[in-house]
PDB file of all heavy atoms in Angstrom:
ATOM      1  N   GLU A  87     -25.226  18.445  16.914  1.00 83.00           N
ATOM      2  CA  GLU A  87     -24.097  19.006  16.179  1.00 83.00           C
ATOM      3  C   GLU A  87     -22.820  18.929  17.012  1.00 83.00           C
ATOM      4  O   GLU A  87     -21.750  18.584  16.507  1.00 83.00           O
ATOM      5  CB  GLU A  87     -24.370  20.468  15.802  1.00 83.00           C
ATOM      6  CG  GLU A  87     -25.456  20.654  14.765  1.00 83.00           C
ATOM      7  CD  GLU A  87     -25.660  22.120  14.440  1.00 83.00           C
ATOM      8  OE1 GLU A  87     -24.898  22.954  14.961  1.00 83.00           O
ATOM      9  OE2 GLU A  87     -26.578  22.430  13.674  1.00 83.00           O
ATOM     10  N   ILE A  88     -22.944  19.263  18.278  1.00 82.00           N
ATOM     11  CA  ILE A  88     -21.772  19.287  19.161  1.00 82.00           C
ATOM     12  C   ILE A  88     -21.269  17.869  19.422  1.00 82.00           C
ATOM     13  O   ILE A  88     -20.070  17.598  19.318  1.00 82.00           O
ATOM     14  CB  ILE A  88     -22.113  20.009  20.470  1.00 82.00           C
ATOM     15  CG1 ILE A  88     -22.349  21.507  20.197  1.00 82.00           C
ATOM     16  CG2 ILE A  88     -20.999  19.820  21.509  1.00 82.00           C
ATOM     17  CD1 ILE A  88     -22.950  22.265  21.358  1.00 82.00           C
ATOM     18  N   THR A  89     -22.171  16.953  19.765  1.00 84.00           N
ATOM     19  CA  THR A  89     -21.746  15.586  20.094  1.00 84.00           C
ATOM     20  C   THR A  89     -21.219  14.854  18.876  1.00 84.00           C
ATOM     21  O   THR A  89     -20.299  14.033  18.997  1.00 84.00           O
ATOM     22  CB  THR A  89     -22.896  14.792  20.732  1.00 84.00           C
ATOM     23  OG1 THR A  89     -24.034  14.811  19.862  1.00 84.00           O
ATOM     24  CG2 THR A  89     -23.294  15.397  22.065  1.00 84.00           C
ATOM     25  N   GLU A  90     -21.761  15.126  17.690  1.00 78.00           N
ATOM     26  CA  GLU A  90     -21.264  14.480  16.477  1.00 78.00           C
ATOM     27  C   GLU A  90     -19.817  14.852  16.190  1.00 78.00           C
ATOM     28  O   GLU A  90     -19.097  14.112  15.515  1.00 78.00           O
ATOM     29  CB  GLU A  90     -22.141  14.851  15.280  1.00 78.00           C
ATOM     30  CG  GLU A  90     -23.480  14.122  15.260  1.00 78.00           C
ATOM     31  CD  GLU A  90     -24.377  14.592  14.134  1.00 78.00           C
ATOM     32  OE1 GLU A  90     -23.933  15.474  13.344  1.00 78.00           O
ATOM     33  OE2 GLU A  90     -25.510  14.096  14.026  1.00 78.00           O
ATOM     34  N   ARG A  91     -19.370  15.990  16.697  1.00 75.00           N
ATOM     35  CA  ARG A  91     -17.990  16.423  16.508  1.00 75.00           C
ATOM     36  C   ARG A  91     -17.104  16.045  17.695  1.00 75.00           C
ATOM     37  O   ARG A  91     -15.993  16.534  17.838  1.00 75.00           O
ATOM     38  CB  ARG A  91     -17.949  17.934  16.265  1.00 75.00           C
ATOM     39  CG  ARG A  91     -18.504  18.312  14.900  1.00 75.00           C
ATOM     40  CD  ARG A  91     -18.770  19.798  14.787  1.00 75.00           C
ATOM     41  NE  ARG A  91     -19.158  20.159  13.437  1.00 75.00           N
ATOM     42  CZ  ARG A  91     -20.369  19.972  12.921  1.00 75.00           C
ATOM     43  NH1 ARG A  91     -21.318  19.423  13.650  1.00 75.00           N
ATOM     44  NH2 ARG A  91     -20.648  20.308  11.675  1.00 75.00           N
ATOM     45  N   GLY A  92     -17.637  15.173  18.544  1.00 76.00           N
ATOM     46  CA  GLY A  92     -16.842  14.692  19.669  1.00 76.00           C
ATOM     47  C   GLY A  92     -16.870  15.584  20.888  1.00 76.00           C
ATOM     48  O   GLY A  92     -16.126  15.361  21.844  1.00 76.00           O
ATOM     49  N   GLY A  93     -17.721  16.603  20.878  1.00 81.00           N
ATOM     50  CA  GLY A  93     -17.809  17.507  22.013  1.00 81.00           C
ATOM     51  C   GLY A  93     -18.866  17.072  23.015  1.00 81.00           C
ATOM     52  O   GLY A  93     -19.585  16.097  22.814  1.00 81.00           O
ATOM     53  N   ARG A  94     -18.961  17.816  24.084  1.00 87.00           N
ATOM     54  CA  ARG A  94     -19.936  17.551  25.134  1.00 87.00           C
ATOM     55  C   ARG A  94     -20.863  18.750  25.268  1.00 87.00           C
ATOM     56  O   ARG A  94     -20.414  19.870  25.479  1.00 87.00           O
ATOM     57  CB  ARG A  94     -19.210  17.286  26.464  1.00 87.00           C
ATOM     58  CG  ARG A  94     -20.147  16.992  27.642  1.00 87.00           C
ATOM     59  CD  ARG A  94     -19.336  16.609  28.878  1.00 87.00           C
ATOM     60  NE  ARG A  94     -18.372  17.643  29.217  1.00 87.00           N
ATOM     61  CZ  ARG A  94     -18.661  18.716  29.946  1.00 87.00           C
ATOM     62  NH1 ARG A  94     -19.902  18.902  30.394  1.00 87.00           N
ATOM     63  NH2 ARG A  94     -17.721  19.614  30.226  1.00 87.00           N
ATOM     64  N   HIS A  95     -22.162  18.504  25.130  1.00 92.00           N
ATOM     65  CA  HIS A  95     -23.142  19.578  25.186  1.00 92.00           C
ATOM     66  C   HIS A  95     -23.801  19.633  26.558  1.00 92.00           C
ATOM     67  O   HIS A  95     -24.104  18.611  27.162  1.00 92.00           O
ATOM     68  CB  HIS A  95     -24.232  19.368  24.133  1.00 92.00           C
ATOM     69  CG  HIS A  95     -25.424  20.278  24.314  1.00 92.00           C
ATOM     70  ND1 HIS A  95     -26.537  19.915  25.060  1.00 92.00           N
ATOM     71  CD2 HIS A  95     -25.661  21.542  23.871  1.00 92.00           C
ATOM     72  CE1 HIS A  95     -27.410  20.911  25.048  1.00 92.00           C
ATOM     73  NE2 HIS A  95     -26.909  21.908  24.349  1.00 92.00           N
ATOM     74  N   HIS A  96     -23.983  20.846  27.055  1.00 93.00           N
ATOM     75  CA  HIS A  96     -24.902  21.053  28.153  1.00 93.00           C
ATOM     76  C   HIS A  96     -25.468  22.464  28.025  1.00 93.00           C
ATOM     77  O   HIS A  96     -24.956  23.290  27.244  1.00 93.00           O
ATOM     78  CB  HIS A  96     -24.239  20.841  29.522  1.00 93.00           C
ATOM     79  CG  HIS A  96     -23.366  21.966  29.983  1.00 93.00           C
ATOM     80  ND1 HIS A  96     -22.048  22.089  29.616  1.00 93.00           N
ATOM     81  CD2 HIS A  96     -23.631  23.036  30.786  1.00 93.00           C
ATOM     82  CE1 HIS A  96     -21.530  23.166  30.168  1.00 93.00           C
ATOM     83  NE2 HIS A  96     -22.470  23.766  30.882  1.00 93.00           N
ATOM     84  N   SER A  97     -26.543  22.730  28.741  1.00 95.00           N
ATOM     85  CA  SER A  97     -27.206  24.024  28.592  1.00 95.00           C
ATOM     86  C   SER A  97     -27.493  24.657  29.945  1.00 95.00           C
ATOM     87  O   SER A  97     -27.578  23.976  30.969  1.00 95.00           O
ATOM     88  CB  SER A  97     -28.516  23.867  27.809  1.00 95.00           C
ATOM     89  OG  SER A  97     -29.376  22.943  28.449  1.00 95.00           O
ATOM     90  N   GLU A  98     -27.615  25.973  29.918  1.00 96.00           N
ATOM     91  CA  GLU A  98     -27.954  26.754  31.106  1.00 96.00           C
ATOM     92  C   GLU A  98     -29.219  27.542  30.805  1.00 96.00           C
ATOM     93  O   GLU A  98     -29.265  28.314  29.837  1.00 96.00           O
ATOM     94  CB  GLU A  98     -26.811  27.710  31.462  1.00 96.00           C
ATOM     95  CG  GLU A  98     -27.101  28.592  32.662  1.00 96.00           C
ATOM     96  CD  GLU A  98     -26.005  29.621  32.904  1.00 96.00           C
ATOM     97  OE1 GLU A  98     -25.014  29.644  32.149  1.00 96.00           O
ATOM     98  OE2 GLU A  98     -26.153  30.406  33.855  1.00 96.00           O
ATOM     99  N   ILE A  99     -30.237  27.333  31.608  1.00 97.00           N
ATOM    100  CA  ILE A  99     -31.517  28.003  31.386  1.00 97.00           C
ATOM    101  C   ILE A  99     -31.497  29.360  32.092  1.00 97.00           C
ATOM    102  O   ILE A  99     -31.378  29.433  33.319  1.00 97.00           O
ATOM    103  CB  ILE A  99     -32.686  27.151  31.903  1.00 97.00           C
ATOM    104  CG1 ILE A  99     -32.699  25.801  31.181  1.00 97.00           C
ATOM    105  CG2 ILE A  99     -34.020  27.871  31.697  1.00 97.00           C
ATOM    106  CD1 ILE A  99     -33.569  24.772  31.856  1.00 97.00           C
ATOM    107  N   ILE A 100     -31.614  30.417  31.319  1.00 97.00           N
ATOM    108  CA  ILE A 100     -31.605  31.768  31.870  1.00 97.00           C
ATOM    109  C   ILE A 100     -33.031  32.218  32.173  1.00 97.00           C
ATOM    110  O   ILE A 100     -33.315  32.768  33.239  1.00 97.00           O
ATOM    111  CB  ILE A 100     -30.945  32.753  30.880  1.00 97.00           C
ATOM    112  CG1 ILE A 100     -29.547  32.268  30.470  1.00 97.00           C
ATOM    113  CG2 ILE A 100     -30.885  34.150  31.495  1.00 97.00           C
ATOM    114  CD1 ILE A 100     -28.577  32.103  31.610  1.00 97.00           C
ATOM    115  N   THR A 101     -33.946  31.976  31.235  1.00 96.00           N
ATOM    116  CA  THR A 101     -35.352  32.379  31.380  1.00 96.00           C
ATOM    117  C   THR A 101     -36.250  31.299  30.804  1.00 96.00           C
ATOM    118  O   THR A 101     -35.955  30.746  29.739  1.00 96.00           O
ATOM    119  CB  THR A 101     -35.621  33.701  30.626  1.00 96.00           C
ATOM    120  OG1 THR A 101     -34.822  34.748  31.173  1.00 96.00           O
ATOM    121  CG2 THR A 101     -37.094  34.101  30.736  1.00 96.00           C
ATOM    122  N   LEU A 102     -37.349  31.007  31.507  1.00 97.00           N
ATOM    123  CA  LEU A 102     -38.379  30.110  30.983  1.00 97.00           C
ATOM    124  C   LEU A 102     -39.683  30.533  31.655  1.00 97.00           C
ATOM    125  O   LEU A 102     -39.952  30.160  32.791  1.00 97.00           O
ATOM    126  CB  LEU A 102     -38.050  28.646  31.287  1.00 97.00           C
ATOM    127  CG  LEU A 102     -39.026  27.599  30.740  1.00 97.00           C
ATOM    128  CD1 LEU A 102     -39.107  27.651  29.223  1.00 97.00           C
ATOM    129  CD2 LEU A 102     -38.626  26.194  31.199  1.00 97.00           C
ATOM    130  N   ARG A 103     -40.489  31.336  30.942  1.00 97.00           N
ATOM    131  CA  ARG A 103     -41.672  31.896  31.595  1.00 97.00           C
ATOM    132  C   ARG A 103     -42.690  32.389  30.576  1.00 97.00           C
ATOM    133  O   ARG A 103     -42.410  32.463  29.364  1.00 97.00           O
ATOM    134  CB  ARG A 103     -41.275  33.043  32.520  1.00 97.00           C
ATOM    135  CG  ARG A 103     -40.581  34.212  31.840  1.00 97.00           C
ATOM    136  CD  ARG A 103     -39.959  35.151  32.867  1.00 97.00           C
ATOM    137  NE  ARG A 103     -39.196  36.223  32.248  1.00 97.00           N
ATOM    138  CZ  ARG A 103     -39.663  37.446  32.005  1.00 97.00           C
ATOM    139  NH1 ARG A 103     -40.913  37.741  32.343  1.00 97.00           N
ATOM    140  NH2 ARG A 103     -38.902  38.367  31.450  1.00 97.00           N
ATOM    141  N   ARG A 104     -43.864  32.739  31.071  1.00 97.00           N
ATOM    142  CA  ARG A 104     -44.928  33.332  30.268  1.00 97.00           C
ATOM    143  C   ARG A 104     -44.765  34.849  30.308  1.00 97.00           C
ATOM    144  O   ARG A 104     -44.525  35.424  31.369  1.00 97.00           O
ATOM    145  CB  ARG A 104     -46.287  32.935  30.846  1.00 97.00           C
ATOM    146  CG  ARG A 104     -47.491  33.444  30.044  1.00 97.00           C
ATOM    147  CD  ARG A 104     -48.762  33.249  30.855  1.00 97.00           C
ATOM    148  NE  ARG A 104     -48.960  31.852  31.217  1.00 97.00           N
ATOM    149  CZ  ARG A 104     -49.688  30.991  30.518  1.00 97.00           C
ATOM    150  NH1 ARG A 104     -50.312  31.411  29.428  1.00 97.00           N
ATOM    151  NH2 ARG A 104     -49.827  29.751  30.919  1.00 97.00           N
ATOM    152  N   VAL A 105     -44.906  35.504  29.157  1.00 97.00           N
ATOM    153  CA  VAL A 105     -44.808  36.959  29.079  1.00 97.00           C
ATOM    154  C   VAL A 105     -45.896  37.489  28.159  1.00 97.00           C
ATOM    155  O   VAL A 105     -46.531  36.725  27.421  1.00 97.00           O
ATOM    156  CB  VAL A 105     -43.416  37.409  28.557  1.00 97.00           C
ATOM    157  CG1 VAL A 105     -42.302  36.947  29.479  1.00 97.00           C
ATOM    158  CG2 VAL A 105     -43.191  36.909  27.133  1.00 97.00           C
ATOM    159  N   SER A 106     -46.108  38.793  28.222  1.00 97.00           N
ATOM    160  CA  SER A 106     -47.025  39.458  27.293  1.00 97.00           C
ATOM    161  C   SER A 106     -46.247  39.881  26.064  1.00 97.00           C
ATOM    162  O   SER A 106     -45.154  40.453  26.171  1.00 97.00           O
ATOM    163  CB  SER A 106     -47.671  40.680  27.952  1.00 97.00           C
ATOM    164  OG  SER A 106     -48.496  40.280  29.027  1.00 97.00           O
ATOM    165  N   ALA A 107     -46.805  39.624  24.905  1.00 95.00           N
ATOM    166  CA  ALA A 107     -46.106  39.909  23.655  1.00 95.00           C
ATOM    167  C   ALA A 107     -45.936  41.410  23.441  1.00 95.00           C
ATOM    168  O   ALA A 107     -46.915  42.163  23.434  1.00 95.00           O
ATOM    169  CB  ALA A 107     -46.856  39.300  22.479  1.00 95.00           C
ATOM    170  N   SER A 108     -44.681  41.835  23.308  1.00 95.00           N
ATOM    171  CA  SER A 108     -44.396  43.217  22.934  1.00 95.00           C
ATOM    172  C   SER A 108     -44.769  43.402  21.464  1.00 95.00           C
ATOM    173  O   SER A 108     -45.119  42.446  20.757  1.00 95.00           O
ATOM    174  CB  SER A 108     -42.913  43.509  23.129  1.00 95.00           C
ATOM    175  OG  SER A 108     -42.138  42.705  22.237  1.00 95.00           O
ATOM    176  N   GLU A 109     -44.666  44.627  20.999  1.00 95.00           N
ATOM    177  CA  GLU A 109     -44.993  44.888  19.593  1.00 95.00           C
ATOM    178  C   GLU A 109     -44.099  44.077  18.664  1.00 95.00           C
ATOM    179  O   GLU A 109     -44.554  43.496  17.673  1.00 95.00           O
ATOM    180  CB  GLU A 109     -44.848  46.380  19.303  1.00 95.00           C
ATOM    181  CG  GLU A 109     -45.211  46.763  17.864  1.00 95.00           C
ATOM    182  CD  GLU A 109     -45.133  48.260  17.624  1.00 95.00           C
ATOM    183  OE1 GLU A 109     -44.898  49.008  18.587  1.00 95.00           O
ATOM    184  OE2 GLU A 109     -45.305  48.674  16.452  1.00 95.00           O
ATOM    185  N   ASN A 110     -42.792  44.010  19.011  1.00 94.00           N
ATOM    186  CA  ASN A 110     -41.844  43.278  18.177  1.00 94.00           C
ATOM    187  C   ASN A 110     -42.156  41.785  18.173  1.00 94.00           C
ATOM    188  O   ASN A 110     -42.166  41.137  17.118  1.00 94.00           O
ATOM    189  CB  ASN A 110     -40.427  43.520  18.680  1.00 94.00           C
ATOM    190  CG  ASN A 110     -39.378  42.782  17.875  1.00 94.00           C
ATOM    191  OD1 ASN A 110     -39.006  41.666  18.223  1.00 94.00           O
ATOM    192  ND2 ASN A 110     -38.903  43.399  16.805  1.00 94.00           N
ATOM    193  N   VAL A 111     -42.420  41.206  19.352  1.00 95.00           N
ATOM    194  CA  VAL A 111     -42.707  39.775  19.452  1.00 95.00           C
ATOM    195  C   VAL A 111     -44.035  39.445  18.787  1.00 95.00           C
ATOM    196  O   VAL A 111     -44.167  38.420  18.094  1.00 95.00           O
ATOM    197  CB  VAL A 111     -42.703  39.321  20.928  1.00 95.00           C
ATOM    198  CG1 VAL A 111     -43.205  37.887  21.065  1.00 95.00           C
ATOM    199  CG2 VAL A 111     -41.304  39.459  21.501  1.00 95.00           C
ATOM    200  N   ALA A 112     -45.039  40.302  18.987  1.00 95.00           N
ATOM    201  CA  ALA A 112     -46.338  40.075  18.343  1.00 95.00           C
ATOM    202  C   ALA A 112     -46.187  40.031  16.827  1.00 95.00           C
ATOM    203  O   ALA A 112     -46.806  39.193  16.150  1.00 95.00           O
ATOM    204  CB  ALA A 112     -47.319  41.171  18.766  1.00 95.00           C
ATOM    205  N   MET A 113     -45.354  40.920  16.292  1.00 93.00           N
ATOM    206  CA  MET A 113     -45.133  40.933  14.849  1.00 93.00           C
ATOM    207  C   MET A 113     -44.394  39.674  14.409  1.00 93.00           C
ATOM    208  O   MET A 113     -44.724  39.098  13.367  1.00 93.00           O
ATOM    209  CB  MET A 113     -44.334  42.187  14.457  1.00 93.00           C
ATOM    210  CG  MET A 113     -44.106  42.333  12.960  1.00 93.00           C
ATOM    211  SD  MET A 113     -43.303  43.908  12.548  1.00 93.00           S
ATOM    212  CE  MET A 113     -41.748  43.730  13.432  1.00 93.00           C
ATOM    213  N   ARG A 114     -43.425  39.224  15.199  1.00 92.00           N
ATOM    214  CA  ARG A 114     -42.671  38.011  14.858  1.00 92.00           C
ATOM    215  C   ARG A 114     -43.565  36.783  14.793  1.00 92.00           C
ATOM    216  O   ARG A 114     -43.393  35.919  13.934  1.00 92.00           O
ATOM    217  CB  ARG A 114     -41.571  37.776  15.895  1.00 92.00           C
ATOM    218  CG  ARG A 114     -40.382  38.718  15.817  1.00 92.00           C
ATOM    219  CD  ARG A 114     -39.397  38.398  16.944  1.00 92.00           C
ATOM    220  NE  ARG A 114     -38.212  39.225  16.872  1.00 92.00           N
ATOM    221  CZ  ARG A 114     -37.153  38.956  16.126  1.00 92.00           C
ATOM    222  NH1 ARG A 114     -37.150  37.846  15.387  1.00 92.00           N
ATOM    223  NH2 ARG A 114     -36.117  39.753  16.102  1.00 92.00           N
ATOM    224  N   LEU A 115     -44.528  36.697  15.739  1.00 94.00           N
ATOM    225  CA  LEU A 115     -45.374  35.509  15.822  1.00 94.00           C
ATOM    226  C   LEU A 115     -46.720  35.678  15.127  1.00 94.00           C
ATOM    227  O   LEU A 115     -47.503  34.724  15.074  1.00 94.00           O
ATOM    228  CB  LEU A 115     -45.614  35.136  17.289  1.00 94.00           C
ATOM    229  CG  LEU A 115     -44.440  34.476  18.019  1.00 94.00           C
ATOM    230  CD1 LEU A 115     -44.792  34.260  19.490  1.00 94.00           C
ATOM    231  CD2 LEU A 115     -44.057  33.151  17.369  1.00 94.00           C
TER     232      LEU A 115
END
Side-chain angles (χ1 to χ4, degrees):
E87 291 180 4
I88 292 169
T89 55
E90 284 175 2
R91 289 166 174 78
R94 180 174 56 84
H95 168 268
H96 77 275
S97 57
E98 178 186 359
I99 301 165
I100 306 300
T101 298
L102 182 61
R103 60 192 175 96
R104 183 192 302 266
V105 299
S106 295
S108 64
E109 182 177 355
N110 179 268
V111 171
M113 183 174 62
R114 287 178 177 275
L115 285 176

